[in-house]
Amino acid sequence: MSTDAAHAELIAANRAEGRVMLAVAADRGATRRTQVAERGSLRVRFPNAVGSELEAVLVNTAGGMTGGDCFDIDVAAGANARLLVGTTAAEKVYRSLGPATRVAVRLAASAGAMLRWLPQETILFDRARLDRRIEVDLAEGAALVLAEAVVFGRAAMGETVEQGELVDRWRVRLGGKLVFAESVRLGGAINENLAQRAVAAGGRALATVLLVPGEARHIEAVGALDMSGDVGISAWNGIAVARLVAPDAVTLRRDFAAVLGALAIGPLPRLWVN
C-alpha cells in the first residue's frame, strides 16, 4: 500500500458518523417521547421532561465536524405535539482534506403539531466543506419554525474563511405539495464572494428563518425592529421567510434573537440565553 493510500485509509477510519431518530406525541396536555434511537457520536437529551412543549437538545460528542463525517437526524412530531429541537452549542465545521461534511435533516409534523428547529449557529473554518440537506414534510394544519445560522470564521479570533464550500439544500412540503425549495452553493474564494454587494456586502454571518404559516403581520413585526445588521422578510402563500446578514456572530445572535422574539414563535431554547 502506498503512503498516500495508507494516509487516506487512516483518515477514513477516523471519520465520525452519527444518527438520531426522535418521535414524539401529544399525551394528556404534554408532549412525550415515543421513539428515541441514537448511533455513533450523536445524542439527544431532554432538559424538560414535562410540559406542553418538549425540548430536545442534540449533542455531538465528536466535538465538531470535518471532511468525510456523516450525520443524520430524523425528527417526527405527532398530531398536536409541540417540539423544540436545539443544540448544546454552536456546531463547528473544520478544515477538510478533500471530502465534504454531510448532514441530512428530515423533519415531519402531523396535523396540529408545532415543530421548532432552532439550533445554535454553524461555524465554518477556513477550507471547511459542508453539504447539508434539510427535508421537511408537514401535514395540513401543522406549524413549523425552521431557523439556521451560518458564521464564516470567528471574527473575535481574527479568523477569515478564504476558501471552502457550503452547499445548503432546503425542501419543504405541505400536504405532500412542495411549497418551498432553495439551494445555496457558496464555494471557492468564499471571503471574496461574501464581500460582493449582491452576496453579503462584506457580512460574515448569515441566517434564515422560515415560518409556516407565515402572514403579513410577521412582516410588520420584523420591520418595526431596530437591527444592527441587515434583515429582510417576505410572506407569500402562507409562508414567511426572514433573511439576516451581520458582520459577526455576536451581532447576528442579537439580531437573530430579536427577529425570533418579534415573530412571537415561543421562547428561545434555554441554552441560547443561559
Side-chain angles (χ1 to χ4, degrees):
M1 180 181 296
S2 68
T3 302
D4 289 345
H7 182 60
E9 184 174 316
L10 178 62
I11 291 174
N14 286 277
R15 293 284 57 86
E17 293 186 358
R19 184 173 187 184
V20 161
M21 297 179 63
L22 170 65
V24 303
D27 180 16
R28 292 169 291 182
T31 297
R32 307 185 192 282
R33 294 161 275 175
T34 58
Q35 180 184 14
V36 179
E38 303 170 327
R39 189 180 72 192
S41 63
L42 278 186
R43 300 287 185 271
V44 60
R45 296 294 179 261
F46 305 91
N48 67 325
V50 296
S52 60
E53 181 179 61
L54 180 67
E55 183 175 355
V57 178
L58 298 171
V59 182
N60 178 14
T61 62
M65 302 178 178
T66 190
D69 292 353
C70 295
F71 299 90
D72 290 276
I73 301 165
D74 286 272
V75 175
N80 301 314
R82 299 181 61 85
L83 177 64
L84 166 62
V85 183
T87 55
T88 54
E91 188 62 78
K92 299 178 179 65
V93 183
Y94 297 106
R95 175 177 179 173
S96 169
L97 297 178
T101 299
R102 302 192 181 278
V103 178
V105 178
R106 288 170 289 274
L107 308 176
S110 300
M114 163 61 89
L115 176 55
R116 301 198 295 150
W117 176 264
L118 297 175
Q120 298 188 53
E121 58 268 23
T122 298
I123 301 174
L124 300 185
F125 286 73
D126 191 32
R127 301 187 182 277
R129 298 186 63 201
L130 174 62
D131 186 337
R132 181 169 62 188
R133 301 288 190 268
I134 300 178
E135 299 274 349
V136 184
D137 286 296
L138 303 175
E140 294 287 353
L144 171 73
V145 179
L146 177 59
E148 282 282 358
V150 178
V151 177
F152 295 89
R154 297 172 297 182
M157 305 293 290
E159 297 169 352
T160 301
V161 179
E162 297 291 350
Q163 295 284 329
E165 182 179 53
L166 170 65
V167 178
D168 202 11
R169 179 181 182 271
W170 293 21
R171 299 292 184 269
V172 179
R173 292 173 174 82
L174 177 60
K177 179 182 178 181
L178 184 66
V179 295
F180 183 82
E182 175 173 278
S183 295
V184 174
R185 181 182 292 273
L186 184 62
I190 285 186
N191 192 47
E192 293 181 11
N193 291 333
L194 290 173
Q196 297 180 35
R197 185 173 180 82
V199 180
R204 296 295 182 269
L206 318 174
T208 298
V209 183
L210 185 149
L211 291 184
V212 181
E215 304 170 3
R217 63 183 177 87
H218 294 128
I219 297 177
E220 296 172 1
V222 172
L225 295 173
D226 182 13
M227 309 294 286
S228 299
D230 294 321
V231 61
I233 183 170
S234 301
W236 72 98
N237 297 334
I239 297 173
V241 177
R243 314 278 191 181
L244 296 89
V245 178
D248 53 57
V250 173
T251 303
L252 182 69
R253 174 68 74 96
R254 184 169 55 248
D255 287 353
F256 205 20
V259 167
L260 292 172
L263 293 173
I265 48 82
L268 295 176
R270 283 180 289 179
L271 289 175
W272 276 46
V273 296
N274 288 345

